[in-house]
Amino acid sequence: MKRASSAAAAVTTGLVLSLSLASLAAAPKGAAPAADPPTVPSLAPVLTGFKWGGTHTEVVKIYNATGGLFDAEYDPVLAKMQPGVRMQALEADRENRKSAFASSFLEFKDTPTGYDVTGLKGEYTYRNHEEIMNLDKDGKRRYFFFIGAPPGERLWKIYDEIPLNATGPLGATFQEAVTKLNTTLGVAARIRAADESQGNYFTTADWQDSTSHLRALDRSFQKVVAVVMEDRQVLSALAGLRSMKVDDPLAMDPSISAITKGGVSDPSSRRADGGAPKK
């Protein structure tokens, strides 16, 4: 139990640490962004408790196993309760959350998913053996991204949605969040403006170390900042791993787009000049 509590503390502390950070390096107007993100000594504290390359089953065990992260959250409360209805309800809540997390594993195959209309668009592709899991814990929503055909999939990205508020670990604004991250990491971030043509949907601050890439995404309009850790080895190989180039599942079919480009009209209606419709 002591080891589980330490593991939970390490993960939580590591993330909050990486999220507890000072000096927003805003690039001068008109200045070109740095070619590469700045390199920091280590991003390991952000990844504490996880390792790149783990399968989704291994990630589930970190949370759901006896003495895992969910038990570490509930056990201190349960230890203070008397056996009875309230204790049973709390234990049921814990087991329901474990079950929901284990069953959240989703493969991006052919069918569009609800993720396409969220801030996660652009973080995955279809038909390239990519998968996702999610859970709500420690005041944030976390997504795990995997790549590779199950059961050989491997963890390569962890994406956290952290609420922006005055009492939160990253402050109330994106600017405050980057300032805190800069302070903790000891290096001013590279700042890039949103550019969908480059697959960059949000203003982004980023850093890297020898194995990982860290991004902070400005999703202020949703009252969150996204903090994303990625395996650099997979990043460098993404072009090859994503060999199937699939169109945007929400994009309008080209044939329909061509028909409606000039507006939809009733072919049997009279012409604008008052003449009869063409036969």
Side-chain angles (χ1 to χ4, degrees), residues 1 5 69-81 90:
M1 187 67 66
S5 299
L69 295 181
F70 274 124
D71 284 358
E73 176 184 340
Y74 281 83
D75 284 351
V77 181
L78 289 168
K80 298 176 182 178
M81 299 179 71
L90 191 59

Side-chain angles (χ1 to χ4, degrees), residues 14-87:
L15 208 35
V16 172
L17 199 103
S18 68
L19 307 170
S20 107
L21 321 188
S23 129
L24 173 62
K29 287 187 177 180
D36 294 301
T39 299
V40 302
S42 177
L43 292 171
V46 189
L47 198 60
T48 300
F50 300 92
K51 67 179 188 299
W52 298 135
T55 66
H56 88 277
T57 301
E58 291 172 330
V59 172
V60 168
K61 285 181 180 178
I62 291 173
Y63 284 92
N64 288 8
T66 300
L69 295 181
F70 274 124
D71 284 358
E73 176 184 340
Y74 281 83
D75 284 351
V77 181
L78 289 168
K80 298 176 182 178
M81 299 179 71
Q82 294 296 322
V85 175
R86 289 182 62 242
M87 175 179 279

